[in-house]
Amino acid sequence: MHHGLIAAGTLLVSMLSVGCADATSTAQIDGPTTHSSLPATPQAALPPPPTNGWQNKPAGTIVQVSEAPPTSQLVGASQSLFVRYTTVDVFGQPALASGLVLLPAIPVYPDGQWPLVVYGHMTTGAADACAPTRGVPESSELRRMQQGDTLANALLAEGVLVARPDYEGLGESGAHPYLRGDSLARAMRDMASAVRDRWEQTGHRWIAAGHSEGGVAALNTGNRRHPPARGLELIGAAAITPVTQLEVLLTAAGELPVAAPGVDAAVALAALALKGIAITDPEFESLLLKEGGLSDEAVALWPDLERLCLEDLSHEDSWGGLSPQAVKGPRGDEAVAELIREWREDDIRLLPMRRDMPLRIDAGLLDAVALLPLTEALVNDYRSRGYPVTYARWPADHSPTADVAAPAIAAWIMEQFAQ
């Protein structure tokens, strides 16, 4: 997400309030099957995944390591490594996930162990090419893929091992359950377990951090009902511009003009959001794709969600070329009602967090995606429930907040490890 999504946060609403929807497709679609003429988002060539043996390994086990592609290499790391590790998908089945492991140049702790931070990236899309480890110089998503580099380099300079998961279904087989809290938390937790298992220099304590969708991932990792990472103690969670109360955005901007700036990104973002729900809800998917939730034009663009990333989805030749009215289907209102229900149930403000674990939330004063009043309501709600929250605001928009806040976040993280 970036400044192009300023209106997306609110214009998403405009689109859906007139009755549109979108979702992931694992079923056959009746009707149009063509997609836009845009070429698929390019991606780096990486070693093929192992074909057998990994299915019997416990979740959180590294099964493949290689040098990371050039766009994932960080100057502050002694090694930048692409890894595949075992996990469990949203259906409870064994799956592979991928990510980036950044090893610090030297250990700074007397015992020679590296503190561990697992960092979740911001929204890039749902196609395999949207995985940050699949980035290439010509990728339209490169800036968002690298958005966490500033914080990662600051932590590497302190002797911290930084791991960056791609999330379920990004870069590996299966769909990406966009913004689904349990899936995001599992991606963080299983990567932490995998790193601890593979690199014996890793200490026994870790912190979850992330930006936007990654902020949602970090906070969900602090859910006290989730099992711990294997052999590790979670001692903190830091969330940069986490998205909350999406249903407020969904219902607040029905009167915005169709021609308002950012509507192209709003349409693309809505497609991803609805896709995340439909992955596990076949009835919802059927409503959207077969029963009038989407227009014929939108159904025709459906395959783009699995071959294009966010920037390309926002293009006029893809979802971004549809007006809100052109996306809607005759049963769109039903889809909107279900979307609101799902979002409310999975919102980070409802998480049962540990009261003994420090939290940090950073907000952008100019953020029109994770709106400041909603973020502050989240902070106040957490504090009222006894969760220890450090809160900071920065004069920045949604995406730049991660860079502006990076030195302060790194300092806070090191304070937690020092205790």
Side-chain angles (χ1 to χ4, degrees), residues 48-55 63-64 84 96:
T51 57
N52 53 49
W54 61 266
Q55 295 88 344
V63 296
Q64 194 173 60
R84 284 189 170 98
L96 286 179

Side-chain angles (χ1 to χ4, degrees), residues 245-295:
Q245 296 193 55
L246 286 173
E247 75 279 3
V248 173
L249 297 176
L250 183 64
T251 56
E255 297 182 0
L256 286 177
V258 171
V263 69
D264 51 354
V267 174
L269 183 62
L272 292 173
L274 290 160
K275 173 182 169 64
I277 293 172
I279 282 174
T280 56
D281 191 338
E283 292 183 1
F284 186 52
E285 181 181 62
S286 180
L287 169 64
L288 297 172
L289 302 178
K290 298 182 178 181
E291 300 167 24
L294 288 174
S295 68

Side-chain angles (χ1 to χ4, degrees), residues 1-10 12 121-125 140-141 143-145 147 167 176 178-179 184 211-216 240-244 246 249 265-266 268-270 272-273 309-311 314 343 367-371 397-402:
M1 298 184 197
H2 67 321
H3 65 277
L5 294 182
I6 289 177
T10 49
L12 163 62
H121 63 84
M122 67 191 313
T123 299
T124 55
S140 59
E141 286 305 305
R143 183 191 58 77
R144 278 183 285 262
M145 291 174 173
Q147 187 65 69
Y167 304 146
H176 173 49
Y178 178 60
L179 280 181
L184 292 170
H211 180 200
S212 192
E213 183 178 7
V216 173
I240 308 164
T241 64
V243 182
T244 181
L246 286 173
L249 297 176
L269 183 62
L272 292 173
C309 298
L310 182 55
E311 190 73 21
S314 304
W343 270 351
D367 195 332
V369 177
L371 301 178
D397 191 4
H398 186 70
S399 185
T401 297

Side-chain angles (χ1 to χ4, degrees), residues 13-368:
V13 225
S14 267
M15 182 177 82
L16 295 177
S17 65
V18 295
C20 95
D22 192 344
T24 185
S25 171
T26 54
Q28 294 295 316
I29 303 172
D30 295 329
T33 57
T34 59
H35 52 71
S36 74
S37 60
L38 287 173
T41 301
Q43 59 180 302
L46 289 165
T51 57
N52 53 49
W54 61 266
Q55 295 88 344
N56 298 321
K57 297 182 182 297
T61 302
I62 298 239
V63 296
Q64 194 173 60
V65 180
S66 63
E67 184 177 357
T71 61
S72 292
Q73 298 280 339
L74 264 68
V75 295
S78 64
Q79 287 185 283
S80 301
L81 301 171
F82 168 77
V83 302
R84 284 189 170 98
Y85 61 97
T86 56
T87 187
V88 177
D89 67 18
V90 73
F91 302 105
Q93 299 301 310
L96 286 179
S98 58
L100 177 67
V101 173
L102 302 168
L103 303 182
I106 57 172
V108 298
Y109 278 44
D111 57 9
Q113 291 188 320
W114 293 320
L116 172 62
V117 170
V118 179
Y119 179 88
H121 63 84
M122 67 191 313
T123 299
T124 55
D128 285 345
C130 311
T133 58
R134 303 312 195 273
V136 291
E138 60 268 31
S139 173
S140 59
E141 286 305 305
L142 188 59
R143 183 191 58 77
R144 278 183 285 262
M145 291 174 173
Q146 297 177 329
Q147 187 65 69
D149 288 3
T150 301
L151 179 57
N153 276 320
L155 292 170
L156 288 165
E158 297 289 343
V160 175
L161 191 161
V162 180
R164 299 167 70 167
D166 288 327
Y167 304 146
E168 178 182 345
L170 287 183
E172 303 299 325
S173 63
H176 173 49
Y178 178 60
L179 280 181
R180 308 307 287 175
D182 286 352
S183 172
L184 292 170
R186 187 164 52 248
M188 304 282 276
R189 183 174 64 246
D190 285 348
M191 186 161 210
S193 299
V195 170
R196 167 70 174 173
D197 181 65
R198 178 61 179 258
W199 284 277
E200 61 181 13
Q201 305 99 314
T202 309
H204 68 280
R205 299 188 301 163
W206 73 293
I207 288 176
H211 180 200
S212 192
E213 183 178 7
V216 173
L219 291 173
N220 271 276
T221 305
N223 187 334
R224 65 174 178 263
R225 294 176 183 169
H226 286 173
R230 190 171 61 252
L232 286 163
E233 177 189 2
L234 182 67
I235 64 168
I240 308 164
T241 64
V243 182
T244 181
Q245 296 193 55
L246 286 173
E247 75 279 3
V248 173
L249 297 176
L250 183 64
T251 56
E255 297 182 0
L256 286 177
V258 171
V263 69
D264 51 354
V267 174
L269 183 62
L272 292 173
L274 290 160
K275 173 182 169 64
I277 293 172
I279 282 174
T280 56
D281 191 338
E283 292 183 1
F284 186 52
E285 181 181 62
S286 180
L287 169 64
L288 297 172
L289 302 178
K290 298 182 178 181
E291 300 167 24
L294 288 174
S295 68
D296 288 346
E297 292 84 359
V299 171
L301 287 173
W302 183 256
D304 281 8
L305 295 172
E306 287 297 338
R307 68 184 197 88
L308 301 179
C309 298
L310 182 55
E311 190 73 21
D312 294 329
L313 289 171
S314 304
H315 193 275
E316 62 181 6
D317 196 33
S318 184
W319 288 87
L322 298 181
S323 69
Q325 290 85 351
V327 176
K328 69 176 182 178
R331 297 183 63 190
D333 287 345
E334 296 174 51
V336 171
E338 177 61 18
L339 176 63
I340 291 174
R341 186 190 69 80
E342 292 275 2
W343 270 351
R344 284 175 174 166
E345 289 185 357
D346 203 21
D347 197 284
I348 53 177
R349 70 184 187 274
L350 302 179
L351 288 173
M353 311 293 284
R354 284 172 36 197
R355 290 185 176 85
D356 64 336
M357 188 182 75
L359 303 175
R360 180 185 174 100
I361 295 176
D362 288 83
L365 293 172
L366 307 178
D367 195 332

Side-chain angles (χ1 to χ4, degrees), residues 369-389:
V369 177
L371 301 178
L372 184 65
L374 302 184
T375 303
E376 296 199 329
L378 173 69
V379 171
N380 292 334
D381 186 52
Y382 277 3
R383 287 174 171 169
S384 71
R385 292 158 64 187
Y387 305 155
V389 180

